[in-house]
Amino acid sequence: MNSRDTLKINSAGHLEIGGADCTDLAKEFGTPLYVYDETHIRNMMRVYQDTIKEAYDGRGLVLYASKAFSCEAVYAIAKQEGIGIDVVSGGELYTAMQAGFPAEKICMHGNNKLKHEIEFALDRKIGTIVVDAYSEADMLDEEARKRGIVQDILLRINPGIEAHTHAYVQTATPDSKFGFSIADGTAEKMTAYLLQKKNLRLKGFHCHIGSQIFEKQSFVLAVEKNVKFMSDIKNSLGFVTESLNMGGGFGIWYTQEDAKLTVKEYKEYLLALIQTLKKECGTYGLQLPFIYIEPGRSIVGEAGITLYTVGAVKEIPGIKKYVAIDGGMFESPRYALYHSKYTALLANRANDTPTEMISIAGKCCESGDIIAANVNLPKAQTGDILAVLSTGAYHYSMASNYNRNLIPPAILVKDGKADYIVKPQSYEDLVRNDLIPERLK
């Protein structure tokens, strides 16, 4: 476990998060349950923004990548902390607007933004839109013209950095669906195209090389390639880059295979990026651009855990032992998607020594409904409270009602006080949008 002041084993031998005993949380709110540590979220937002203030004279902004976990409460925290956000859909933008988030601090992404999403973004006067297609540029320019505005944009480019991470979360490889390649000249052609648009104001460029990256060198290489491109574009088109968005992708701890980073150690990743940017801009004689970064997983990933109640325990002699929980792939889909690895422990017996290797099985009618495989646990019993760690990112966001299971609620915990931030679903919620045509009655 990557312990901290707000995630530890308490004197009762129970897992504690945000000053609250997890066994008490399970009793009060039921399981499955998403639990978020407010203090850790705020600390992660602050370390990034403070680093920009200290190392880059404040000429930059942290944008929380809200696809990791989107709800009104997390946007309210980001607003209080003075950072920005990025959104990737009309739904995320609507949620942020409902939370009263300042539109000028919102950046919108997406490789295939829909017309109504672009209209919504323009009507809400959001700060920046990242362009990722010719057709999108045309649509955006036309919709901006209709409204009599000039919209600030960034162009998503692909620097061709292959970060060492899962293939599904690499976003800057040559065959990626995202961005325009620097190597084959399409990024320069698209830059020239955007500069002709009367209702679009190109401020600079955006890139994102992938997720769950621990290698600082990957970010360093990405900066070097971006700055060279900035120099080439200045020389060929006379365009001076005002803003550079380097995306996110900072890795978090899931298992003992991952680095255990403290909040302050994330500062080193951003420092490496900033130092390289200063050095390279100096080499090419470029003005320093306003910088954006987009951490998501590293802000909420380790801040979140999921609590379950153990149900059936089934052993196949000589082969495998399954410990089944009251959740499943409907609220924890990442093992089924990526074979992602997790650490789990019995929250009510957190000091007990692990004695067996098991697989945690969900309740869905799918053989592949596994939450985590090859997990070391003490001998689990029906009724135990099982905690899966580092589930704050891409769990609630990717949850579904598969098998008509209910998506669990989420709570926010600070100083021992817990509050709902996503209320529990009900069976009535499941059928709320169902209709029976008259001919079937």
Side-chain angles (χ1 to χ4, degrees):
M1 185 168 76
N2 193 13
S3 302
R4 55 182 185 266
D5 288 345
T6 54
L7 182 67
K8 59 188 179 182
I9 298 172
N10 64 22
S11 59
H14 298 166
L15 181 66
E16 180 182 295
I17 184 169
D21 189 309
C22 288
T23 61
D24 293 336
L25 294 176
K27 288 176 184 176
E28 180 179 356
F29 296 97
T31 59
L33 180 68
Y34 298 118
V35 185
Y36 282 87
D37 174 2
E38 180 180 339
T39 296
H40 190 68
I41 292 172
R42 290 184 184 275
N43 286 343
M44 289 304 303
M45 289 179 177
R46 289 172 186 172
V47 74
Y48 288 128
Q49 193 63 33
D50 288 348
T51 303
I52 290 175
K53 289 177 182 177
E54 296 166 9
Y56 205 63
D57 298 325
R59 290 174 295 173
L61 184 66
V62 175
L63 301 173
Y64 166 63
S66 56
K67 64 180 180 289
F69 176 52
S70 174
C71 73
E72 291 185 30
V74 76
Y75 293 133
I77 294 172
K79 180 181 177 181
Q80 289 180 359
E81 292 298 328
I83 68 170
I85 62 171
D86 83 51
V87 298
V88 295
S89 70
E92 288 185 356
L93 176 56
Y94 179 82
T95 305
M97 293 289 92
Q98 287 295 101
F101 199 86
E104 67 274 12
K105 286 187 174 182
I106 299 177
C107 179
M108 185 174 216
H109 287 278
N111 68 300
N112 186 35
K113 301 176 191 69
L114 306 180
K115 185 172 184 288
H116 71 84
E117 292 176 321
I118 286 176
E119 291 172 340
F120 185 37
L122 293 176
D123 289 341
R124 293 302 183 275
K125 298 180 172 57
I126 72 167
T128 308
I129 296 177
V130 179
V131 173
D132 205 355
Y134 278 94
S135 58
E136 177 187 307
D138 294 340
M139 186 192 309
L140 182 57
D141 185 51
E142 174 60 16
E143 292 302 322
R145 184 195 65 78
K146 288 179 183 178
R147 289 159 176 78
I149 63 174
V150 178
Q151 175 63 46
D152 285 349
I153 62 169
L154 298 176
L155 171 63
R156 181 153 185 172
I157 60 177
N158 185 339
I161 303 297
E162 189 166 335
H164 290 174
T165 185
H166 193 285
Y168 291 169
V169 291
Q170 290 179 353
T171 56
T173 53
D175 62 347
S176 173
K177 74 174 186 176
F178 298 105
F180 291 82
S181 173
I182 292 176
D184 65 10
T186 55
E188 181 175 351
K189 291 178 183 177
M190 186 58 171
T191 301
Y193 188 76
L194 291 174
L195 290 174
Q196 298 172 12
K197 297 294 184 182
K198 295 181 179 179
N199 292 90
L200 302 181
R201 183 187 297 110
L202 182 63
K203 303 288 284 186
F205 305 101
H206 171 279
C207 84
H208 177 71
I209 60 174
S211 297
Q212 193 56 8
I213 301 168
F214 286 102
E215 297 173 318
K216 292 178 188 175
Q217 189 61 21
S218 296
F219 298 108
V220 168
L221 289 172
V223 171
E224 290 174 348
K225 289 205 172 189
N226 274 279
V227 175
K228 184 179 185 306
F229 178 72
M230 288 161 51
S231 176
D232 292 343
I233 288 297
K234 182 181 179 183
N235 292 333
S236 62
L237 300 176
F239 175 71
V240 177
T241 302
E242 296 179 45
S243 300
L244 179 64
N245 188 326
M246 288 303 303
F250 310 106
I252 69 167
W253 180 89
Y254 284 105
T255 71
Q256 297 302 329
E257 297 176 8
D258 300 318
K260 285 187 175 183
L261 300 177
T262 65
V263 171
K264 291 183 179 179
E265 284 175 313
Y266 280 95
K267 178 178 183 176
E268 300 303 317
Y269 285 84
L270 187 49
L271 280 177
L273 189 156
I274 288 172
Q275 289 165 358
T276 304
L277 180 59
K278 286 181 173 180
K279 174 178 173 291
E280 293 299 305
C281 284
T283 298
Y284 288 99
L286 300 175
Q287 69 178 40
L288 290 173
F290 189 89
I291 190 171
Y292 297 95
I293 60 163
E294 296 173 338
R297 184 197 311 262
S298 60
I299 287 178
V300 296
E302 290 190 51
I305 66 172
T306 309
L307 300 179
Y308 303 97
T309 300
V310 173
V313 178
K314 182 183 293 183
E315 186 166 8
I316 305 171
I319 299 177
K320 186 175 290 188
K321 187 171 186 177
Y322 290 103
V323 172
I325 42 104
D326 53 353
M329 61 193 295
F330 60 94
E331 51 30 58
S332 182
R334 293 187 68 252
Y335 181 84
L337 287 172
Y338 313 135
H339 277 190
S340 299
K341 296 180 180 180
Y342 288 95
T343 295
L345 70 158
L346 298 181
N348 58 315
R349 293 194 280 131
N351 279 327
D352 285 12
T353 302
T355 57
E356 55 187 9
M357 186 82 73
I358 60 96
S359 288
I360 303 171
K363 65 185 293 291
C364 292
C365 191
E366 289 279 350
S367 297
D369 182 21
I370 303 296
I371 300 304
N374 301 319
V375 176
N376 279 311
L377 278 185
K379 188 172 183 178
Q381 301 169 355
T382 300
D384 278 334
I385 303 302
L386 184 136
V388 179
L389 306 181
S390 300
T391 60
Y394 304 107
H395 280 244
Y396 174 77
S397 293
M398 300 173 102
S400 75
N401 292 121
Y402 184 56
N403 284 177
R404 288 253 150 160
N405 284 297
L406 303 178
I407 296 174
I411 62 172
L412 187 68
V413 185
K414 185 176 187 292
D415 299 329
K417 179 176 172 53
D419 299 282
Y420 280 120
I421 54 174
V422 178
K423 67 181 181 179
Q425 279 192 336
S426 66
Y427 286 140
E428 289 75 19
D429 292 327
L430 287 179
V431 300
R432 193 176 308 282
N433 294 322
D434 287 7
L435 296 170
I436 301 177
E438 285 298 320
R439 68 177 182 277
L440 299 180
K441 296 179 180 178

